[in-house]
Amino acid sequence: MLMTKQRRPAIRTLRGWAINVLNEAGAIRECEEHGWMQDRADPLARERAFDIARRDPPPDVSRQAAEAAVREMLDSIGDTCPECPSD
């Protein structure tokens, strides 16, 4: 069967869903050495993440709650890895 839209993986928590959306939009990345999430500080990627949250929230979650979950995750992620040495 031909599918036009790729299915997202099953996410069990709203936090996990928000991380997946941010990753999919390119707003966060993972430290290659330690695995910590890092904010890419890309305003277009952030806006894509919010658009995804508004357009396609998880089942039984309002658009406002989905957008708030994405915003909360962004606020909790720094732009540097805590384990990488600073220059």
Side-chain angles (χ1 to χ4, degrees), residues 36-55:
W36 289 90
M37 292 180 290
Q38 296 173 294
D39 186 345
R40 291 189 54 238
D42 180 348
L44 295 176
R46 286 174 176 224
E47 192 54 41
R48 277 193 303 272
F50 288 121
D51 286 343
I52 292 169
R54 285 185 219 109
R55 186 182 66 243

Side-chain angles (χ1 to χ4, degrees), residues 9-83:
I11 305 295
R12 295 176 190 242
T13 66
L14 187 55
R15 180 180 186 275
W17 174 85
I19 291 169
N20 186 58
V21 166
L22 289 166
N23 195 35
E24 182 179 307
I28 60 173
R29 65 184 175 95
E30 188 176 313
C31 171
E32 293 177 9
E33 253 185 88
H34 305 105
W36 289 90
M37 292 180 290
Q38 296 173 294
D39 186 345
R40 291 189 54 238
D42 180 348
L44 295 176
R46 286 174 176 224
E47 192 54 41
R48 277 193 303 272
F50 288 121
D51 286 343
I52 292 169
R54 285 185 219 109
R55 186 182 66 243
D56 193 16
D60 300 326
V61 176
S62 72
R63 291 181 171 151
Q64 294 82 7
E67 186 176 352
V70 169
R71 186 173 316 282
E72 185 177 309
M73 278 311 305
L74 268 176
D75 290 344
S76 71
I77 298 171
D79 59 352
T80 59
C81 173
E83 292 185 44

